[in-house]
Amino acid sequence: METNTTDKLIDIVKRKDILFHRGEQVLFKKYSYFQVINAYKNLFVCDDETIMDIKNNININNKNKIKYYRNSFKIKNDVTDNDLYENICNKICLKYGIKAKTLSEKETLIDEIHYHHHMYIPNISYGDFLRMYKFEHELRMMLFKYILIIEESVKNIFISYLNDKKVDVNYLVNMNNYNTLPLKSKSFDTIKLIISKYDNQKSKPIKRKRDQHLDVPYWMLINELAMNQTYYAISNLNERDSYQIFLKCANFFTKLNISETDKGKSSEKIIADKKMVNNFKMILYYLGEFRNMLAHNQPIYCYNIKNYNIKANPSLEYELPTTRKGYKNKKGQILSHAQQQLNLNGSMMQSLSKYFGPDSFNANNSTKLDLSKIIYILYKILKQIDPNTKFYEELQSIFIKYNIVLTKTSYTINDVKDYLELTKQINKLNDFDMEIKDILDRIGKKRSYIRKLKSKEIELRKLVKEINQATKNIKINETKSKYKVFPAIKKYSEFTGIDMAFFHDIK
């Protein structure tokens, strides 16, 4: 592909009708084009065109589009409209390193890379992209911090199970402890990974054991694994050990209390328990994949999005859960990838209320596996293992800080002394006695009461005047978000499933 200087990239962004407000060109030079513009473009796209769309617009002499193409592709004025289309193809081929001689070849190869020319929401600025980049960076750091707690807990459960079973220190490098059937060939990948950890010279505990010419015990090896590596290590063990470890995880991270033995259970109960454990096993897999996105600084608004097509309905296709090609239901009907995903996610959604108790979120029949689901699951697991977790408050504060979905206005008082003076005057009003009983008694006995009543009225007016003055003395500062309403909020909610209701429903 063609490489570009920073100044040329700025020019490309401008020709996409993305604005640069004051100081934003300086910021552009501090951040990666790929991590800011390219990563978040789908949130700001209002339309896109294929190479055939461009060709058709030029052929029908769409003047507005032709003017836009000339600017966007930086076509010189001396190029006629008749030559415009081929010049655009040349520009695209140069950008992507496509080698072709004829216009027909260029068209075919451009179409094969699924080229799309994006058009953006009017008045979008580079600052809007940078805001989303900073927001997601902060959100990733917060989520990563908490997902590591779950990762550590899974490892502890794994180690404790092996400890209690009194297995050999070399348990993880013994092939007999794995399911090595042909369909479970990933077991060999796990064994290979575990063995490779023996040569990890950057791990002080492992290096010390190797220098002592001692075996590296399984509890050290497990601590060297990332979350998804730990998942696969457990998953690829022999069926008995694998199931028991995932069962312990399900019981620990949720409200479940599934017995570790099938003794006394009906066949229906055994099947139901295994389904609950297997569904939670999939949740741990999703968390492991999500953890990798966080660790590698990838955009997470598009978590699990396989494909986005603004002109399709539905516009989003999902990567997970994994489905089988040609899978048939009980009626013998072949189910599409999307329908299989709906069925699998529907089963998972039904399980969530049993894992964490019924709430407004898991009562929702939405079966999309998006960012809202993974954050909900992460929050509920943390609540289960630590009821005092501050996850929700931290999550909320990040959304509020960047005015994404949530907004908040705060008020502060300049001088606390003014506030204290006001409360002092209000307390005087609260303690004020009109002596109504005495006045009524005077009226009943036909004694003079008007002077006393007027005196009390004067006292009351004076007190009210002091309260009003104390109120005027209080200076209140209103602090709003420094960010305007996010211009792509609907698109963000479409991708993530996160809106204002989400924060209410997960509580």
Side-chain angles (χ1 to χ4, degrees):
M1 290 181 63
E2 183 183 26
T3 58
N4 298 298
T5 65
T6 301
D7 288 338
K8 188 173 181 181
L9 285 172
I10 289 174
D11 183 54
I12 289 171
V13 171
K14 286 179 177 179
R15 286 190 280 108
K16 292 176 183 288
D17 287 340
I18 297 170
L19 306 175
F20 280 96
H21 294 316
R22 185 177 178 181
E24 288 183 353
Q25 287 196 34
V26 175
L27 291 173
F28 183 89
K29 296 177 181 181
K30 294 181 178 180
Y31 296 93
S32 162
Y33 175 91
F34 179 78
Q35 288 186 317
V36 178
I37 297 290
N38 202 62
Y40 298 103
K41 65 185 179 185
N42 284 331
L43 290 174
F44 302 100
V45 168
C46 63
D47 197 6
D48 65 34
E49 294 178 334
T50 65
I51 191 64
M52 289 297 107
D53 292 327
I54 294 172
K55 182 178 184 179
N56 292 336
N57 284 325
I58 293 173
N59 286 341
I60 63 174
N61 198 28
N62 186 324
K63 294 295 184 183
N64 289 331
K65 286 289 186 180
I66 288 173
K67 182 180 178 181
Y68 172 74
Y69 296 148
R70 283 185 175 277
N71 176 63
S72 182
F73 290 99
K74 207 173 183 179
I75 306 296
K76 294 179 179 179
N77 292 331
D78 58 357
V79 175
T80 66
D81 287 355
N82 289 333
D83 296 326
L84 177 61
Y85 176 64
E86 185 164 6
N87 270 262
I88 290 173
C89 288
N90 291 340
K91 291 274 186 176
I92 297 170
C93 287
L94 178 63
K95 176 181 178 180
Y96 290 99
I98 295 172
K99 306 295 183 183
K101 294 180 179 179
T102 67
L103 178 58
S104 176
E105 284 179 319
K106 294 170 188 175
E107 281 182 332
T108 301
L109 292 173
I110 291 170
D111 192 53
E112 283 180 1
I113 65 169
H114 306 292
Y115 173 80
H116 284 269
H117 184 64
H118 297 108
M119 282 142 280
Y120 294 91
I121 301 170
N123 300 317
I124 285 296
S125 76
Y126 175 73
D128 294 315
F129 286 83
L130 190 57
R131 172 184 174 185
M132 178 52 63
Y133 167 81
K134 289 182 175 181
F135 160 72
E136 282 225 323
H137 179 74
E138 198 163 329
L139 182 60
R140 278 194 301 268
M141 294 304 100
M142 174 257 176
L143 294 174
F144 187 64
K145 173 182 70 175
Y146 281 108
I147 208 165
L148 286 180
I149 296 172
I150 297 174
E151 177 178 326
E152 189 68 20
S153 296
V154 172
K155 291 178 182 179
N156 290 340
I157 292 168
F158 190 3
I159 293 169
S160 294
Y161 175 81
L162 297 182
N163 287 346
D164 293 342
K165 197 179 176 185
K166 299 179 180 178
V167 301
D168 185 78
V169 71
N170 289 317
Y171 177 90
L172 290 180
V173 292
N174 186 339
M175 193 177 295
N176 293 325
N177 295 321
Y178 292 86
N179 186 345
T180 54
L181 293 174
L183 293 177
K184 297 285 290 184
S185 58
K186 287 186 178 180
S187 295
F188 296 104
D189 295 332
T190 295
I191 296 169
K192 184 179 177 181
L193 172 68
I194 296 294
I195 292 172
S196 72
K197 297 296 181 182
Y198 268 72
D199 294 320
N200 185 3
Q201 295 297 304
K202 293 181 180 180
S203 170
K204 289 183 179 180
I206 287 181
K207 186 177 184 302
R208 184 161 51 250
K209 289 296 178 187
R210 295 304 305 273
D211 290 344
Q212 294 171 329
H213 303 290
L214 297 173
D215 291 329
V216 181
Y218 60 79
W219 55 87
M220 283 188 183
L221 293 171
I222 289 171
N223 279 322
E224 294 293 320
L225 303 177
M227 187 169 181
N228 64 335
Q229 293 173 336
T230 307
Y231 168 85
Y232 282 117
I234 300 169
S235 184
N236 292 327
L237 292 176
N238 64 74
E239 190 174 339
R240 169 67 183 173
D241 287 345
S242 177
Y243 177 77
Q244 286 297 318
I245 295 169
F246 282 124
L247 185 152
K248 285 179 176 291
C249 287
N251 282 344
F252 180 76
F253 290 121
T254 74
K255 296 179 182 295
L256 296 177
N257 187 23
I258 298 175
S259 171
E260 296 178 15
T261 175
D262 291 339
K263 188 176 180 181
K265 293 182 184 179
S266 65
S267 58
E268 291 82 5
K269 176 62 175 171
I270 293 172
I271 292 171
D273 284 350
K274 286 187 176 179
K275 182 178 179 181
M276 294 303 291
V277 172
N278 286 331
N279 278 350
F280 192 76
K281 175 183 173 181
M282 287 307 301
I283 285 175
L284 289 178
Y285 169 72
Y286 297 150
L287 287 174
E289 294 296 303
F290 184 62
R291 183 260 193 211
N292 283 348
M293 291 186 72
L294 299 176
H296 294 288
N297 228 24
Q298 296 178 19
I300 57 173
Y301 77 95
C302 52
Y303 163 74
N304 197 36
I305 305 298
K306 180 181 181 181
N307 187 42
Y308 170 67
N309 185 345
I310 196 170
K311 295 182 178 179
N313 187 24
S315 57
L316 299 172
E317 290 182 36
Y318 296 90
E319 190 75 42
L320 297 170
T322 304
T323 61
R324 287 185 281 171
K325 190 175 181 180
Y327 176 79
K328 296 180 180 180
N329 62 14
K330 292 179 180 179
K331 295 181 180 180
Q333 300 167 321
I334 295 179
L335 297 184
S336 67
H337 170 71
Q339 188 57 54
Q340 288 184 64
Q341 287 185 326
L342 289 175
N343 293 346
L344 291 168
N345 285 332
S347 175
M348 184 186 76
M349 287 300 291
Q350 290 176 1
S351 299
L352 292 181
S353 62
K354 295 180 180 178
Y355 293 147
F356 310 118
D359 56 41
S360 299
F361 185 85
N362 60 45
N364 188 335
N365 61 3
S366 171
T367 50
K368 297 175 182 177
L369 182 56
D370 52 25
L371 184 62
S372 71
K373 297 290 188 306
I374 210 75
I375 289 180
Y376 166 83
I377 289 168
L378 184 54
Y379 172 48
K380 290 299 181 178
I381 286 176
L382 289 163
K383 283 280 284 185
Q384 179 64 24
I385 61 179
D386 178 14
N388 297 316
T389 179
K390 297 298 180 184
F391 179 94
Y392 182 85
E393 290 76 13
E394 289 185 42
L395 180 72
Q396 212 176 24
S397 68
I398 294 171
F399 277 84
I400 289 171
K401 177 179 177 179
Y402 291 94
N403 202 2
I404 308 289
V405 176
L406 299 179
T407 187
K408 185 179 181 181
T409 302
S410 61
Y411 299 90
T412 56
I413 297 172
N414 271 0
D415 195 337
V416 177
K417 290 179 181 178
D418 294 331
Y419 167 75
L420 295 175
E421 181 60 29
L422 176 60
T423 57
K424 179 181 175 182
Q425 298 301 333
I426 291 173
N427 287 333
K428 283 184 181 180
L429 179 62
N430 187 53
D431 296 335
F432 181 75
D433 186 2
M434 278 291 292
E435 299 184 24
I436 298 297
K437 186 177 179 181
D438 181 53
I439 292 172
L440 290 175
D441 187 57
R442 285 170 178 265
I443 293 172
K445 294 179 178 179
K446 296 183 179 181
R447 292 169 57 193
S448 173
Y449 67 89
I450 293 176
R451 181 177 294 178
K452 185 176 182 68
L453 187 59
K454 285 185 176 181
S455 174
K456 284 294 178 181
E457 182 186 10
I458 291 170
E459 284 183 48
L460 182 59
R461 284 182 178 178
K462 181 183 177 182
L463 190 53
V464 170
K465 185 177 179 180
E466 289 172 350
I467 290 173
N468 288 335
Q469 185 57 49
T471 303
K472 290 177 182 178
N473 290 338
I474 294 178
K475 303 301 180 186
I476 298 176
N477 298 317
E478 182 183 43
T479 306
K480 295 183 179 179
S481 172
K482 69 176 184 178
Y483 295 104
K484 62 183 181 180
V485 174
F486 188 59
I489 192 62
K490 288 185 179 179
K491 189 69 70 67
Y492 180 80
S493 293
E494 179 187 353
F495 268 88
T496 64
I498 298 174
D499 52 17
M500 287 184 68
F502 167 78
F503 287 89
H504 171 267
D505 291 346
I506 70 171
K507 235 344 194 167

